[in-house]
Amino acid sequence: MGLHFIRQALRQDERALILTTASSRASAELAASLGFDFAPHFESGRLTIRESASFTAGSDTAHWSNLPPEGFDRLRGLIETHGIRRVLLDTVLPWVAVPRMDMVA
C-alpha cells in the first residue's frame, strides 16, 4: 500500500521520501520486484530513499532506540530542503517512543 502511495505522488509530480529500516538498495529492489519502476524518479531526484538508522540514536547497534529530537530536526530539514510532499515510513517502530525494550514486541 505504501508503494502505491509513493507511486501516486510521483504521478502527481510530487517529490517523495521512503524512510526504511532496510537498506536503500534492498528497498529499491523490493519495489522493482513488485512492479514499481522507480528508477527514473531516483535519477530525477523526485524520489529519495533513506535508511531510518541515519536519523536514530545508536544507529550502529542492532537494538531499537528512540529517535532523539535532533533526528526529527534532520528529517524535517531533509523534507524542506528537497520539497518533499509525501513520506512513507517503512516501519514506524524507530519513530515511536518505547519506554522499555520488552514493550517492543
Side-chain angles (χ1 to χ4, degrees), residues 31-85:
S33 74
L34 295 172
F36 295 90
D37 182 17
F38 290 151
H41 305 289
F42 295 127
E43 294 167 12
S44 72
R46 289 193 4 218
L47 179 59
T48 303
I49 296 181
R50 292 287 166 88
E51 296 174 35
S52 58
S54 65
F55 295 95
T56 57
S59 61
D60 56 340
T61 63
H63 71 278
W64 295 106
S65 57
N66 295 336
L67 186 69
E70 302 82 35
F72 281 108
D73 291 338
R74 287 197 336 261
L75 177 60
R76 184 180 65 224
L78 174 71
I79 291 168
E80 291 173 353
T81 300
H82 289 87
I84 293 170
R85 302 273 307 179

Side-chain angles (χ1 to χ4, degrees), residues 3 17-32 38 42 47-54 59 64 88 90-91 94:
L3 295 176
L17 167 67
I18 299 174
L19 197 60
T20 179
T21 56
S23 73
S24 299
R25 181 180 177 151
S27 296
E29 289 173 355
L30 174 63
F38 290 151
F42 295 127
L47 179 59
T48 303
I49 296 181
R50 292 287 166 88
E51 296 174 35
S52 58
S54 65
S59 61
W64 295 106
L88 169 61
D90 174 35
T91 174

